[in-house]
Amino acid sequence: MSRPHQYHQPNAPDLSDYDSESDLELDIEELDPQTAADDQYSHGRHQRRSHEADRQIPLRNLRVGRTRNLAGQRRADGYNTGNDDEEAVRGLLADYSGPRESVDPDPDHDSLGNHDSRKVRSDSSGDPPARISSRFGFSNLLSRSSKPVQGASSNTQDTNSDAASRNINIGQYPPPRYPPNAISNAKYTPWSFLPRTLYNEFSFFFNMYFLLVALSQLIPPLRIGYVSTYVVPLVFVLSITLGKEALDDIARRRRDAEANREEYTVLRLRHPDQRKSKQKMKDHSLHNTSSPSSFAPGRLEVIEEEEENLESVTVDALSIRSRDLKVGDVVKLNKDQRVPADMVILKSYGLDTGGTKAESETRARLSGVLEKAIDSAAKPSAEYSANSRSESEEHGGSKDGTYTEANDSAGETFLRTDQLDGETDWKLRLASPLTQSLNPRDFARLRVVAGRPSKKVNEFVGTIEYTSLGPQNNDKDPSQQSARVPVSAPLTIDNTAWANTVVASSAAVLAVVIYTGAQTRQAMSTSSPRSKTGLLDSEINNLTKILCALTLTLSIVLVALEGFENRESMKCLRVNLDMGKSVYAWFIERDRGIADTVVRTSTIPEELGRIEYLLSDKTGTLTQNEMELKKIHVGTVSYANEAMDEVASHVRHGFSVESPSLVTPSSSSQASMTAPSKTRTRREIGSRVRDLVLALALCHNVTPTTEDDNGQASTTYQASSPDEIAIVRWTESVGLRLIHRDRQSITLQSVETSQIVVRVLILQIFPFTSEGKRMGIIVRFLGDIDSPTSTLDDGSEIWFYQKGADTIMSSIVAANDWLDEETANMAREGFRTLVVGRRKLTHQQYQTFYERYREASLSLQNRDARMGRVVRDHLESNLELLGVTGVEDKLQKDVKPSLELLRNAGVKIWMLTGDKVETARCVAVSAKLVSRTQYIHTITRLSSDVPASTALDALSILRSKPDTTALLIDGDSLSYFLSHHRWEFVSVAVLLPAVVACRCSPTQKADIAYLIRQFTKKRVACIGDGGNDVSMIQAADVGVGIVGKEGRQASLAADFSIIAFHHITKLLVWHGRNSYKRSAKLAQFIIHRGLIISVCQTIYSIAAHYEPNALYRDWLLVGYATVYTMAPVFSLVLDTDVDEGLANLYPELYKELTNGQSLSYRTFFVWVAVSIYQGSIIQGLSQILVGSVDSPQMVSVSFTVLVINELIMVACEIVTWHRIMVASLLGTMAIYIGSVPFLGDYFDLAYVWSWGFAWRVAAISAISLIPPYSVKILRRTLKPPSYRKVQGI
């Protein structure tokens, strides 16, 4: 988390907007702004340095100050917002659905170029006439100036430029023009659809081949038959493919439209007479352009009118669709609402900190006492709050609360960012103190300066400026009047809410849109969708090149163009494959075992059967992101499952007190020692358990909130880490409930008696960091509700509690002999372990620590390091070890067996997450991603400063034992390897059975997918559920999206959408296997069907002395490729070699598919040989047995054997019969027999019904079919395929 906000007034350039229609002539010297050194508002959580007024004067105030110098004071001092206005705005914040407002974009919105006021003064100070003639442009005020300021850019700066900072005047009308805030996962636009799809289609050889053949028919000497016989099949093939692509993309657009139609409440700030004032200013300027002094009487009225307009801003609540949001819009966000664009948080309305009515009354009774006690603690944060309040009053606030509304929440809100960066921890976000105390209608006087759009989700630099309208009075000398200096504050990542995050707090949040659409962090981290081509398509494309070469060779040999008759074969090949893919998609979507699965890219289902690498997200994909504390250990005893009842018993006894007394660590220990009927050992164990539970109930950053659930008040917990929520829920389950938490105090209640039993004041908090891996808190216990003490030297107890990773805490806690062993045992069980310790501080020790800590917090250099050193020296030594906790991150359903099955199927699994290293390690172990026999080699914190030999040594360890070693690497080290040792890293990593990469950005995830594909040439699948996974999903050969709790962006961008991780096993092992095997068999049969008829034509041409005559003409040729063979061949898409149970029982069968043996050059040439043999036998024997080369009798025998041969070949290849297969075979044979009487133009019908026809057909068919089938049976007997082995056949 970034450091707290710092007020500052740097000597920054003025970036006010510039309206080309108006400007103001000013003498720069009259303003006399003294350029000051940089103001240092350097404060941490505990301290803020004193303020010096900044001398930078914004343009609006320059304008107002200039006119006041000329005309004197005409208005009352100060600007005040009443409580009535605040209550009115609160009413507007309720859920409201108002009329939508149509806003036309500003046709030409410019902003003043970046210039330094000091430079302008210096450049114009030499010559008085030059100073008098210096001119500035001011927004919406006066006429155009004729001469630019020397040293400033003469060209205005386009606010749409990404190369410079953008100025956002909140509530500006019309709004500046920036990209529309629309989500788009579509692959094509209406203009790019045809060019891109046609390019993809003609990248396939056979489509290009048909195109060239069709074009050749436009040349009369090359024309053979009708041109339509060439063009129509090509158009038909392209229409099917393009139609499927169009339907898929239309479906994506419809889903995008659903997200873009989501409505949000926008607070529209209106200036009632803004346009009239601007027009009035323009009219007046036409008559006053020569003399600077002539503008005062008339122009002053216009300026005063504009200031009055600013004071009379109205706020309208409108319901606006997500896609219609504009930069500068103020949006109201509620709990569980998706953030639609990149925003800066302006205001957060207070959290309900939980509790019943009685508890609220108790807290009210304690509030006055707490204020006194907190004041006595002399905390730096208290000083900061006081200084902040005084400064707020100085700049227009008041002590009556005008600018201090919502201070109870301090602008806090929590965001869930796992859809953006993959991190499970909730992120605490803060409204700037400058805007948190403002009335929303005062947002019209705010300006945000933000940097150029960036993909860095963890970085942001900007400023926000608030300008008050109240003048500073000087009645004696009006020339010395000046406008009030505006207040600026920095903006950091802590003040932002990026698109696609989700509001987790119950508070309402007001935020201003700063980036929209394609300029959001989410969109810039997402790659553009690409058209994906399956590996099988590429293999078939290569085989068709060979097929065309064979036919071309035959054509050349025969000195004819008969080889082109094979065109029907390749046309049918593409049509049948595309239709088969649609059938596979239909099967997948209607499989009840993987209900609600959606196939979004129907062109690559067979790719599911070739996956060798699976890249998976963690949060929401492998885990539910729901934590549960499952085990604790207190040194001699561990508690888990049913034993937690004994823990609850100890808690009930240790925290049973009579009001108004409160429990302290000392009183709890005394109560345990005086407990009756208990042995000494049992009393000691009970005391340890109570101390551990108390520590867990206090050492956290959890805030309870109360929500109304169907009229019933329910308490929920909010925190930046789900681990902490799990721990606090566990303390409640054993009897100690957190009912109140703010920045000053924590209140605990006994679940059994509903009485407040513990109340502490928070003196210091040390939050968790990735580097420190621990968090701590210093608290002061109150001993009595009615008469709590108010000074630190009255005997009240001060304790320091700390919890953290065992690797860090083992050196901080006191010496012991059980910590390492117990944490190792919990880690092996897959638990996330935390070690808990405490230390009691005397008042003198705390005062000494506080003074040193405060001194370190004021350091300008190495502040964090110095503060950490103070904590280590004064607190983190010899802590009392209280115990160890084991928290389980709940896995998704059936994750363990799914990962094991995929691993046995030969799939190497990589887990890519944005989460912490320790979290990823625990999940990898608990999910069985890393087996017990594998060693986890960890590589972290590598950078360019590390010698190359060190990095390469780490890789050499992996290379020595690749089969038994898993890699755990963090994002920085991964970035180092990808930048400096790219190929060395990937050559080792792809050999490992499992790789876990932590702290990965969305871009890094996509880079890894590209790298594996590029290096291995293997099929890579990526699966995720968040918006941060979209780039990875689109970079994969097969992208699988899970419909997550927080959104559907990943599922919308994926090729396949599922609802649970374990569905991917069936998707790959069953549907992937079937799709690939079926497509391979279908492709080979279609090639065989086309090649056999080409061989028959060749034999006929040779026998006919190379005459260019067709063997089968017109309908015979068309009918053979359609009604006589198409249905039986296409029915192969229903064939399965094993059933689903065997596919899951023997996942090793899937491993064979990755070798591509079902369709390879070997199988292709086998089918070519079979086609040549059968074609030669059919045509040769037909001519020999009939005794004629060119007669209707020969054609009738040859064609009939050809059809029967194809039908029987299909039957011989079927492994599992389906009723549709039987129907297609019998039905096709019946259709052929029924059509024979209508084939009199081609057959000798009298001969067809003779016995001579029958025996010749039977003999030729037997000679054609028996030898190939016998060879097949023999090969299966000698070397049976794996699927027959598992079937026991």
Side-chain angles (χ1 to χ4, degrees):
M1 183 179 300
S2 301
R3 298 193 60 77
H5 300 294
Q6 303 175 18
Y7 280 98
H8 70 285
Q9 286 289 342
N11 294 325
D14 196 308
L15 298 175
S16 295
D17 289 342
Y18 170 68
D19 191 335
S20 60
E21 297 178 351
S22 61
D23 67 0
L24 179 61
E25 297 179 344
L26 287 177
D27 186 345
I28 305 299
E29 290 294 320
E30 291 181 6
L31 298 173
D32 194 26
Q34 187 71 24
T35 304
D38 291 349
D39 281 349
Q40 298 294 333
Y41 272 79
S42 174
H43 65 273
R45 178 178 177 82
H46 314 288
Q47 178 65 28
R48 187 176 61 86
R49 305 193 70 179
S50 59
H51 172 62
E52 288 186 16
D54 190 282
R55 301 302 193 264
Q56 177 188 347
I57 302 180
L59 297 182
R60 175 181 291 170
N61 291 281
L62 289 174
R63 176 198 68 203
V64 176
R66 169 64 172 163
T67 55
R68 285 172 182 147
N69 287 340
L70 293 170
Q73 178 180 352
R74 293 194 180 187
R75 304 175 53 216
D77 184 16
Y79 178 77
N80 185 39
T81 57
N83 294 330
D84 293 340
D85 294 331
E86 187 68 14
E87 293 300 324
V89 174
R90 278 184 173 276
L92 289 174
L93 289 174
D95 290 336
Y96 171 82
S97 178
R100 292 187 54 213
E101 178 183 64
S102 177
V103 179
D104 295 330
D106 190 356
D108 186 16
H109 178 73
D110 296 333
S111 64
L112 187 64
N114 294 350
H115 63 277
D116 194 323
S117 59
R118 292 173 294 178
K119 180 177 180 181
V120 173
R121 278 187 21 143
S122 174
D123 292 341
S124 61
S125 61
D127 185 12
R131 294 199 307 269
I132 296 174
S133 62
S134 298
R135 287 165 183 155
F136 276 102
F138 292 89
S139 175
N140 302 331
L141 283 181
L142 303 177
S143 62
R144 184 184 303 272
S145 108
S146 59
K147 183 183 293 185
V149 175
Q150 190 176 12
S153 174
S154 60
N155 298 327
T156 58
Q157 187 181 59
D158 185 5
T159 58
N160 291 341
S161 173
D162 290 348
S165 300
R166 62 176 57 180
N167 298 331
I168 303 168
N169 290 317
I170 298 178
Q172 176 180 336
Y173 182 89
R177 287 187 292 183
Y178 290 106
N181 191 50
I183 295 174
S184 178
N185 290 297
K187 290 183 179 179
Y188 312 103
T189 66
W191 298 272
S192 68
F193 176 74
L194 278 178
R196 290 184 59 186
T197 53
L198 289 177
Y199 173 80
N200 293 332
E201 289 306 307
F202 287 114
S203 63
F204 288 101
F205 172 78
F206 42 82
N207 284 340
M208 180 60 69
Y209 168 75
F210 289 129
L211 177 63
L212 295 176
V213 171
L215 293 177
S216 70
Q217 299 307 297
L218 300 178
I219 304 174
L222 300 179
R223 184 174 300 167
I224 302 176
Y226 297 103
V227 177
S228 60
T229 61
Y230 297 89
V231 175
V232 172
L234 177 62
V235 172
F236 178 68
V237 171
L238 294 178
S239 298
I240 291 179
T241 305
L242 268 63
K244 290 171 76 283
E245 283 290 319
L247 291 176
D248 289 344
D249 214 50
I250 290 173
R252 293 188 190 96
R253 289 185 175 275
R254 287 175 178 172
R255 292 186 291 268
D256 290 340
E258 294 179 6
N260 292 328
R261 283 197 298 265
E262 187 176 358
E263 294 193 346
Y264 292 85
T265 300
V266 174
L267 304 187
R268 187 57 52 82
L269 310 177
R270 298 184 182 275
H271 300 208
D273 300 325
Q274 182 179 17
R275 293 186 176 182
K276 182 175 69 176
S277 174
K278 180 175 181 179
Q279 183 62 38
K280 187 174 181 180
M281 179 69 70
K282 291 171 62 178
D283 295 341
H284 185 81
S285 66
L286 295 176
H287 306 287
N288 298 275
T289 59
S290 59
S291 173
S293 61
S294 63
F295 81 96
R299 296 188 178 186
L300 183 62
E301 296 176 359
V302 178
I303 294 172
E304 289 183 342
E305 181 179 354
E306 182 175 334
E307 290 190 358
E308 292 173 359
N309 289 339
L310 289 175
E311 295 185 8
S312 59
V313 170
T314 60
V315 181
D316 296 333
L318 305 176
S319 183
I320 302 295
R321 295 183 303 180
S322 174
R323 68 172 301 131
D324 296 329
L325 293 176
K326 307 293 183 183
V327 171
D329 282 348
V330 178
V331 182
K332 175 196 172 187
L333 300 171
N334 297 313
K335 184 179 180 182
D336 294 330
Q337 197 166 18
R338 181 182 68 88
V339 179
D342 285 358
M343 300 182 176
V344 166
I345 298 175
L346 300 177
K347 190 179 185 73
S348 174
Y349 281 80
L351 298 170
D352 185 350
T353 54
T356 62
K357 181 178 180 181
E359 294 161 1
S360 300
E361 293 175 353
T362 302
R363 288 197 299 270
R365 180 160 57 93
L366 288 171
S367 60
V369 175
L370 287 174
E371 290 179 2
K372 295 180 181 179
I374 292 168
D375 292 340
S376 71
K379 299 188 300 180
S381 57
E383 297 181 12
Y384 163 67
S385 301
N387 291 336
S388 298
R389 287 193 296 269
S390 65
E391 184 176 63
S392 178
E393 295 165 7
E394 176 187 355
H395 293 293
S398 62
K399 295 181 180 180
D400 60 3
T402 302
Y403 281 10
T404 58
E405 193 271 333
N407 278 345
D408 56 334
S409 70
E412 295 179 355
T413 189
F414 285 100
L415 297 179
R416 291 196 292 269
T417 65
D418 51 341
Q419 299 296 300
L420 179 68
D421 56 19
E423 296 190 21
T424 57
D425 295 353
W426 289 4
K427 302 300 187 300
L428 176 63
R429 293 293 185 256
L430 305 170
S432 172
L434 185 62
T435 59
Q436 173 63 22
S437 57
L438 293 180
N439 187 310
R441 75 170 192 172
D442 296 336
F443 292 167
R445 299 202 300 277
L446 290 173
R447 183 182 67 178
V448 176
V449 180
R452 61 179 299 176
S454 170
K455 64 172 63 176
K456 298 179 179 179
V457 297
N458 295 318
E459 295 181 14
F460 177 73
V461 176
T463 57
I464 189 166
E465 182 180 279
Y466 172 72
T467 305
S468 173
L469 296 179
Q472 295 177 348
N473 293 332
N474 193 338
D475 298 335
K476 295 182 180 180
D477 188 359
S479 64
Q480 297 301 319
Q481 287 182 319
S482 63
R484 181 173 296 277
V485 176
V487 180
S488 295
L491 295 175
T492 67
I493 188 64
D494 287 345
N495 308 115
T496 61
W498 297 143
N500 212 41
T501 59
V502 178
V503 177
S505 300
S506 300
V509 177
L510 299 182
V512 59
V513 177
I514 57 173
Y515 304 112
T516 54
Q519 294 182 346
T520 62
R521 257 58 171 182
Q522 172 68 43
M524 296 186 72
S525 298
T526 303
S527 58
S528 300
R530 63 185 180 91
S531 298
K532 298 182 179 180
T533 302
L535 180 60
L536 184 69
D537 289 332
S538 300
E539 293 171 344
I540 293 175
N541 192 51
N542 294 332
L543 295 180
T544 54
K545 295 177 183 179
I546 300 176
L547 190 62
C548 286
L550 292 175
T551 57
L552 183 60
T553 301
L554 288 176
S555 300
I556 295 174
V557 171
L558 299 176
V559 195
L561 297 177
E562 300 302 326
F564 286 108
E565 295 298 332
N566 189 47
R567 64 184 182 272
E568 297 298 332
S569 166
M570 287 186 286
K571 293 174 186 175
C572 294
L573 174 61
R574 187 58 193 269
V575 171
N576 280 269
L577 287 177
D578 286 344
M579 293 174 60
K581 293 176 181 181
S582 299
V583 172
Y584 308 148
W586 188 87
F587 285 151
I588 292 173
E589 292 184 339
R590 281 155 183 79
D591 189 338
R592 296 182 180 178
I594 49 174
D596 299 323
T597 297
V598 179
V599 179
R600 306 198 189 280
T601 305
S602 58
T603 58
I604 56 172
E606 66 279 350
E607 291 293 274
L608 295 170
R610 310 288 295 276
I611 301 301
E612 294 192 48
Y613 291 90
L614 176 64
L615 276 56
S616 175
D617 179 41
K618 180 186 73 69
T619 307
T621 303
L622 297 178
T623 68
Q624 302 179 31
N625 198 24
E626 294 181 5
M627 310 297 177
E628 183 180 0
L629 193 149
K630 304 286 288 185
K631 187 176 183 180
I632 65 171
H633 195 285
V634 292
T636 56
V637 181
S638 63
Y639 297 91
N641 303 321
E642 293 80 8
M644 292 299 182
D645 295 337
E646 186 175 350
V647 175
S649 175
H650 291 309
V651 171
R652 282 194 302 270
H653 176 75
F655 293 92
S656 57
V657 296
E658 296 182 359
S659 183
S661 298
L662 296 175
V663 175
T664 65
S666 298
S667 64
S668 176
S669 299
Q670 293 174 2
S672 64
M673 292 303 174
T674 58
S677 306
K678 288 187 178 181
T679 64
R680 179 178 178 181
T681 302
R682 183 171 177 80
R683 287 197 300 268
E684 290 179 352
I685 294 175
S687 177
R688 291 182 183 179
V689 169
R690 287 188 291 271
D691 290 339
L692 177 61
V693 173
L694 179 61
L696 294 175
L698 295 175
C699 188
H700 55 72
N701 278 309
V702 180
T703 301
T705 60
T706 300
E707 300 176 353
D708 188 7
D709 185 10
N710 297 326
Q712 299 292 329
S714 61
T715 301
T716 59
Y717 298 111
Q718 296 179 351
S720 61
S721 172
D723 298 64
E724 294 200 322
I725 295 179
I727 291 174
V728 171
R729 284 176 178 167
W730 177 81
T731 61
E732 180 180 1
S733 69
V734 297
L736 199 58
R737 177 187 295 137
L738 173 68
I739 64 168
H740 175 75
R741 165 69 182 264
D742 54 31
R743 291 191 174 187
Q744 290 81 31
S745 64
I746 297 176
T747 303
L748 304 179
Q749 178 191 63
S750 171
V751 174
E752 182 182 24
T753 63
S754 297
Q755 293 183 353
I756 294 177
V757 293
V758 177
R759 186 82 183 200
V760 299
L761 304 180
I762 301 174
L763 303 183
Q764 299 285 348
I765 293 181
F766 312 100
F768 180 90
T769 63
S770 299
E771 295 77 18
K773 300 180 182 180
R774 60 193 183 278
M775 73 88 58
I777 186 172
I778 301 178
V779 297
R780 175 184 168 210
F781 284 85
L782 300 180
D784 195 301
I785 294 180
D786 293 330
S787 57
T789 58
S790 59
T791 59
L792 285 176
D793 56 354
D794 56 4
S796 58
E797 299 181 25
I798 299 177
W799 287 82
F800 168 61
Y801 290 98
Q802 191 173 57
K803 64 182 180 184
D806 57 288
T807 55
I808 300 297
M809 294 294 294
S810 59
S811 61
I812 296 177
V813 298
N816 60 88
D817 57 357
W818 59 269
L819 178 60
D820 293 340
E821 179 181 358
E822 187 58 34
T823 54
N825 292 336
M826 289 189 179
R828 280 191 291 270
E829 296 180 52
F831 293 145
R832 304 166 71 164
T833 58
L834 285 176
V835 178
V836 185
R838 70 175 182 178
R839 178 180 179 182
K840 186 175 183 179
L841 303 176
T842 65
H843 293 176
Q844 182 60 39
Q845 288 175 330
Y846 174 71
Q847 289 289 4
T848 302
F849 160 76
Y850 170 69
E851 292 172 1
R852 301 290 185 272
Y853 192 75
R854 180 183 180 185
E855 180 181 353
S857 68
L858 298 178
S859 302
L860 297 180
Q861 296 180 349
N862 300 323
R863 178 184 302 173
D864 292 340
R866 294 186 180 183
M867 294 170 66
R869 189 179 303 113
V870 172
V871 173
R872 289 193 299 270
D873 294 343
H874 292 79
L875 301 178
E876 295 180 339
S877 61
N878 203 32
L879 265 62
E880 177 188 354
L881 177 59
L882 297 179
V884 181
T885 65
V887 176
E888 179 186 45
D889 190 353
K890 292 184 179 179
L891 300 175
Q892 294 281 2
K893 180 183 177 182
D894 294 334
V895 163
K896 292 182 182 180
S898 298
L899 292 178
E900 183 178 2
L901 187 147
L902 292 174
R903 187 165 51 246
N904 293 335
V907 179
K908 292 181 172 63
I909 304 171
W910 291 40
M911 185 174 76
L912 311 179
T913 176
D915 225 327
K916 299 183 290 292
V917 173
E918 293 79 9
T919 303
R921 181 194 295 271
C922 293
V923 171
V925 173
S926 62
K928 306 302 180 185
L929 176 63
V930 178
S931 65
R932 292 179 178 270
T933 60
Q934 291 174 349
Y935 162 70
I936 301 178
H937 183 64
T938 303
I939 301 177
T940 58
R941 299 183 183 179
L942 286 183
S943 64
S944 57
D945 298 333
V946 176
S949 58
T950 303
L952 296 177
D953 288 343
L955 295 180
S956 63
I957 297 175
L958 298 171
R959 189 178 288 109
S960 61
K961 297 180 179 180
D963 296 331
T964 59
T965 305
L967 173 62
L968 177 63
I969 187 172
D970 65 356
D972 293 337
S973 303
L974 179 63
S975 178
Y976 171 78
F977 278 120
L978 295 181
S979 300
H980 298 85
H981 307 287
R982 190 179 187 89
W983 296 112
E984 292 87 344
F985 170 76
V986 70
S987 63
V988 175
V990 295
L991 301 176
L992 304 178
V995 176
V996 179
C998 315
R999 294 297 187 189
C1000 283
S1001 66
T1003 304
Q1004 282 181 323
K1005 292 182 178 182
D1007 289 343
I1008 292 174
Y1010 279 122
L1011 187 61
I1012 296 176
R1013 288 176 51 211
Q1014 183 180 7
F1015 181 83
T1016 64
K1017 309 300 180 183
K1018 305 295 185 180
R1019 299 292 96 177
V1020 177
C1022 294
I1023 182 171
D1025 73 317
N1028 62 309
D1029 302 318
V1030 171
S1031 294
M1032 175 181 69
I1033 288 173
Q1034 292 176 340
D1037 295 298
V1038 176
V1040 182
I1042 297 179
V1043 180
K1045 296 179 180 179
E1046 316 303 341
R1048 302 177 58 186
Q1049 189 166 355
S1051 66
L1052 294 178
D1055 303 308
F1056 300 89
S1057 173
I1058 59 179
I1059 62 173
F1061 178 83
H1062 69 275
H1063 286 177
I1064 195 173
T1065 57
K1066 189 172 187 179
L1067 201 61
L1068 299 184
V1069 175
W1070 175 240
H1071 289 287
R1073 177 183 184 82
N1074 290 337
S1075 299
Y1076 171 63
K1077 298 280 285 187
R1078 291 165 175 172
S1079 289
K1081 185 177 293 186
L1082 181 62
Q1084 292 173 139
F1085 253 96
I1086 294 173
I1087 292 174
H1088 166 265
R1089 185 180 63 183
L1091 190 57
I1092 192 174
I1093 198 173
S1094 297
V1095 173
C1096 291
Q1097 176 67 50
T1098 302
I1099 300 298
Y1100 168 77
S1101 297
I1102 294 174
H1105 304 290
Y1106 304 103
E1107 291 291 332
N1109 297 324
L1111 172 61
Y1112 308 121
R1113 295 177 291 108
D1114 302 333
W1115 169 250
L1116 292 184
L1117 187 61
V1118 175
Y1120 173 75
T1122 55
V1123 296
Y1124 296 151
T1125 60
M1126 182 174 181
V1129 172
F1130 191 72
S1131 69
L1132 292 173
V1133 300
L1134 302 175
D1135 192 22
T1136 57
D1137 56 354
V1138 295
D1139 57 32
E1140 184 179 349
L1142 286 176
N1144 291 325
L1145 185 61
Y1146 299 99
E1148 293 80 5
L1149 293 172
Y1150 183 86
K1151 188 183 301 185
E1152 294 182 351
L1153 303 180
T1154 59
N1155 299 327
Q1157 296 180 356
S1158 297
L1159 181 63
S1160 62
Y1161 288 113
R1162 185 187 64 82
T1163 60
F1164 171 75
F1165 284 111
V1166 168
W1167 278 99
V1168 168
V1170 171
S1171 301
I1172 294 175
Y1173 168 78
Q1174 292 183 332
S1176 301
I1177 292 296
I1178 291 172
Q1179 185 59 30
L1181 291 181
S1182 296
Q1183 294 176 169
I1184 293 172
L1185 295 180
V1186 174
S1188 173
V1189 173
D1190 188 9
S1191 66
Q1193 293 87 352
M1194 187 277 296
V1195 172
S1196 61
V1197 171
S1198 174
F1199 189 80
T1200 302
V1201 173
L1202 190 64
V1203 172
I1204 293 175
N1205 181 86
E1206 196 65 22
L1207 297 182
I1208 295 178
M1209 284 292 291
V1210 170
C1212 292
E1213 287 297 320
I1214 293 176
V1215 178
T1216 304
W1217 283 88
H1218 191 278
R1219 59 178 180 272
I1220 294 180
M1221 294 177 174
V1222 177
S1224 64
L1225 286 170
L1226 297 179
T1228 299
M1229 195 64 201
I1231 290 174
Y1232 176 70
I1233 295 174
S1235 66
V1236 169
F1238 302 97
L1239 301 178
D1241 293 340
Y1242 314 104
F1243 292 175
D1244 184 348
L1245 297 182
Y1247 178 74
V1248 168
W1249 304 115
S1250 66
W1251 283 106
F1253 172 83
W1255 76 261
R1256 286 177 175 84
V1257 168
I1260 296 173
S1261 298
I1263 297 173
S1264 172
L1265 290 167
I1266 292 177
Y1269 187 72
S1270 300
V1271 174
K1272 181 178 179 180
I1273 294 297
L1274 180 62
R1275 183 176 181 277
R1276 284 184 177 178
T1277 303
L1278 298 177
K1279 189 178 179 181
S1282 298
Y1283 74 87
R1284 299 185 68 85
K1285 293 179 181 178
V1286 299
Q1287 288 177 332
I1289 300 176

